[in-house]
Amino acid sequence: VTSPLLNILILGDVVGRPGRFAVANLVPALVAERRLDLVVANVENVADGSGLTPTLYQKLLGAGVDVMTMGDHAFRRREIFDTYQTSPRLIRPANFPPEAVGKGVAVVRTRSASGEPDAGTPVAVISLMGQMHMRPSVDSPFACADRLLAGLPPDVKVRLVDFHAEITAEKIAMGRHLAGRVSAVVGTHTHVQTADEQLLPGGTAYLTDLGMTGPHDGVLGRRADRVLKSMLTGMPQAFDVSEGDPRLNGVIVRIDPATGRAEGIERVSLPDTRQVPGARD
Ligand SMILES: [Fe+2]
Ligand SMILES: [Fe+2]
């Protein structure tokens, strides 16, 4: 008897209100139409472009995001520190110093076949950050991944890694390092979706960068006029989040729950045509 494959949506960096609205406008329909068992999102840029607040965390949960990962902006907002300690669904890079608040691994259960929450297959989500061209400096993500995998319960076969890193070579190397040992390695942080989705040997889904769930009319989610003024004059500007061309970027990975092997990976880049620029909630 073969169990049906799990469908897991993983979203690239959600940026500002346009990114959060794209999640709210598009994810519930995707969950229904694509029979999604779990939704994971990198949410390091939700609060005005940097960090996360408890209110925004709750809104994303309500929109259907089951697990949230962070990155170099993990500690930008102090208000979220308590949530790191109380929520099993919010994680920050595991290779931050051990003194940092929060944890780097979440183990949750998918919806059951009948749609009941937290009654299905256990899934581990691991957050890691790169060392190359990244601040703050962190411990080796490779050694950290080895340590975390050794510590996971053997019955948790489905294992997802968000590798938040700048350099493509470091991300590809992480994919190769974890090939056959986890279900998926996906990159975040550069906000530009790459086109190299593939299944690595041993059944590991891989994509160098998921892209950005947010406004695509600017520069990595910020207003183009401000970024250009800064680059043309060398003078600092307020890099406000832009508003046009909101899109949801990520992947849907299909995974055998019995083995944890990925059977497929599909890139997702959807426009949010319902969003009105300047809208508030
Ligand atoms: Fe980001
Ligand atoms: Fe980042």
Side-chain angles (χ1 to χ4, degrees):
V1 181
T2 55
S3 42
L5 297 178
L6 297 177
N7 296 307
I8 298 182
L9 173 67
I10 314 175
L11 295 175
D13 306 34
V14 180
V15 176
R17 190 182 287 113
R20 184 164 57 77
F21 279 15
V23 171
N25 287 339
L26 295 169
V27 166
L30 277 174
V31 168
E33 286 160 19
R34 301 300 302 267
R35 298 172 178 277
L36 299 179
D37 297 281
L38 196 76
V39 178
V40 180
N42 183 295
V43 298
E44 71 153 5
N45 300 112
V46 172
D48 288 334
S50 287
L52 183 68
T53 65
T55 304
L56 298 174
Y57 166 82
Q58 289 296 338
K59 287 180 175 176
L60 287 161
L61 270 187
V65 180
D66 298 299
V67 179
M68 296 178 221
T69 60
M70 295 290 277
D72 47 309
H73 298 305
F75 303 119
R76 187 62 66 106
R77 299 293 183 115
R78 303 187 63 86
E79 309 96 283
I80 201 64
F81 290 5
D82 280 347
T83 313
Y84 278 120
Q85 285 171 319
T86 55
S87 168
R89 299 176 178 276
L90 175 67
I91 57 177
R92 45 75 174 165
N95 52 334
F96 265 72
E99 292 79 9
V101 72
K103 61 203 169 302
V105 187
V107 179
V108 299
R109 283 180 180 271
T110 63
R111 278 170 274 280
S112 72
S114 56
E116 199 184 335
D118 304 316
T121 307
V123 177
V125 183
I126 294 173
S127 167
L128 292 167
M129 196 165 88
Q131 291 180 301
M132 305 169 88
H133 289 270
M134 294 295 284
R135 289 283 179 275
S137 65
V138 288
D139 292 341
S140 166
F142 300 94
C144 184
D146 293 344
R147 203 166 52 241
L148 292 174
L149 291 177
L152 282 178
D155 66 310
V156 181
K157 307 252 188 249
V158 179
R159 300 167 169 198
L160 314 172
V161 175
D162 170 359
F163 189 31
H164 196 79
E166 177 76 28
I167 301 296
T168 50
E170 192 179 19
K171 290 162 141 172
I172 294 168
M174 182 61 79
R176 295 288 166 186
H177 184 61
L178 297 179
R181 302 163 64 199
V182 303
S183 312
V185 176
V186 290
T188 55
H189 177 71
T190 67
H191 293 203
V192 178
Q193 189 174 69
T194 58
D196 60 337
E197 72 273 23
Q198 61 198 285
L199 288 176
L200 295 173
T204 297
Y206 177 82
L207 181 69
T208 294
D209 205 284
L210 296 173
M212 171 181 66
T213 296
H216 281 242
D217 66 332
V219 178
L220 308 185
R222 308 302 177 132
R223 278 175 48 171
D225 59 333
R226 298 285 178 80
V227 175
L228 276 169
K229 190 162 188 193
S230 166
M231 289 190 178
L232 290 169
T233 64
M235 297 162 71
Q237 298 290 321
F239 285 173
D240 291 347
V241 171
S242 66
E243 294 195 320
D245 193 16
R247 301 185 74 89
L248 181 117
N249 276 8
V251 289
I252 295 174
V253 184
R254 291 162 59 77
I255 299 168
D256 184 338
T259 62
R261 285 179 69 105
E263 306 276 344
I265 175 169
E266 174 193 341
R267 261 188 298 132
V268 174
S269 180
L270 292 173
D272 176 11
T273 54
R274 287 165 57 189
Q275 194 168 140
V276 181
R280 298 280 190 269
D281 60 354

